[in-house]
Amino acid sequence: GTQTNTISLGGTLKTDLAVPLGGLPLGLSSSYNSQLTVAAGTTLSVAAGSVIKASNAQLVVNGTLDVNGTAASPVVFTSLKDDTAGGDTNGDSDATTPAPGNWYGISIGSKATFTADYVHVRYAGDGLTGSGANVFEVSHAQLTKNSSDGVNVYVDRSGLNAGGATVSITTSTITDSGNNGIYIRATGPPAGTGTQIPVPVIQDNTI
């Protein structure tokens, strides 16, 4: 048949959740919502070997996303049409193939926390984006075939005693991006003796 073989979640997650949920890949979105939002104060933990698939959907993080892949069992975020991870999830054999921009990627919001080790993100718009996150740390990632940027992070340090954000992208490979492989912006006029201008750690990457 052509039914989708996933456990699909959409809307707003307000209770801590650990993935995988069962033997099937996690699908982002539902019949009523084209994104899954992790609410502030909530943690979504993703274990090694997990597969998360999406079509015209996005993962939005306002709380914490903790991705714990390993070299032998990375965590994969990809298109619903990508049969190389989690099998033929959309049940159409070879009738469809994945392409850049099939889904909208992972967005880390203001004050949120994102840590990821051995994560693969492919066939999204922007693979990973961050805007005002407290923590944005990625290592041993593979980001490929995303239609815009592989990684795009913005940190605003305007105002009194602003600072303290952690941005780190290390030992990762970013290929076949439509625009930038890694794009980091740290802006804003600081004020006050407690101000710290964040210095992103970008090292040992292959682009």
Side-chain angles (χ1 to χ4, degrees), residues 2 30-31 53-54 73-74 77-78 81 90 96 110 112-113 137 140 145-146 163 166 172 176 178 194 199 201 203 205:
T2 57
S30 67
S31 301
K53 291 189 169 184
S73 298
F77 290 84
T78 189
K81 300 175 181 178
N90 60 350
T96 57
S110 178
T113 295
E137 296 182 338
H140 303 104
K145 298 186 184 303
N146 297 301
T166 299
S172 297
D176 296 326
V199 179
V201 177
Q203 63 185 23
N205 299 297

Side-chain angles (χ1 to χ4, degrees), residues 19 25-28 46-47 50-54 59 75-79 103:
V19 175
L26 175 65
L28 300 181
V46 187
S50 298
V51 176
I52 297 91
K53 291 189 169 184
L59 177 58
V75 171
V76 179
F77 290 84
T78 189
S79 166
W103 64 294

Side-chain angles (χ1 to χ4, degrees), residues 47-108:
S50 298
V51 176
I52 297 91
K53 291 189 169 184
S55 178
N56 297 316
Q58 185 176 37
L59 177 58
V60 177
V61 180
N62 295 321
T64 297
L65 175 60
D66 188 15
V67 179
N68 298 291
T70 66
S73 298
V75 171
V76 179
F77 290 84
T78 189
S79 166
L80 186 67
K81 300 175 181 178
D82 183 1
D83 296 349
T84 67
D88 183 18
T89 312
N90 60 350
D92 68 351
S93 188
D94 296 328
T96 57
T97 56
N102 276 169
W103 64 294
Y104 302 123
I106 302 171
S107 176
I108 312 301

Side-chain angles (χ1 to χ4, degrees), residues 67 69 114-120 128 136-142 168-173 205:
V67 179
F114 174 49
T115 57
D117 198 15
Y118 290 101
V119 62
H120 295 188
L128 301 172
F136 191 106
E137 296 182 338
V138 180
S139 61
H140 303 104
Q142 292 186 23
S168 175
I169 303 163
T170 61
T171 325
S172 297
T173 300
N205 299 297

Side-chain angles (χ1 to χ4, degrees), residues 132-156:
N134 282 342
V135 177
F136 191 106
E137 296 182 338
V138 180
S139 61
H140 303 104
Q142 292 186 23
L143 296 100
T144 187
K145 298 186 184 303
N146 297 301
S147 64
S148 188
D149 296 336
V151 181
N152 187 315
V153 180
Y154 172 66
V155 182
D156 183 4

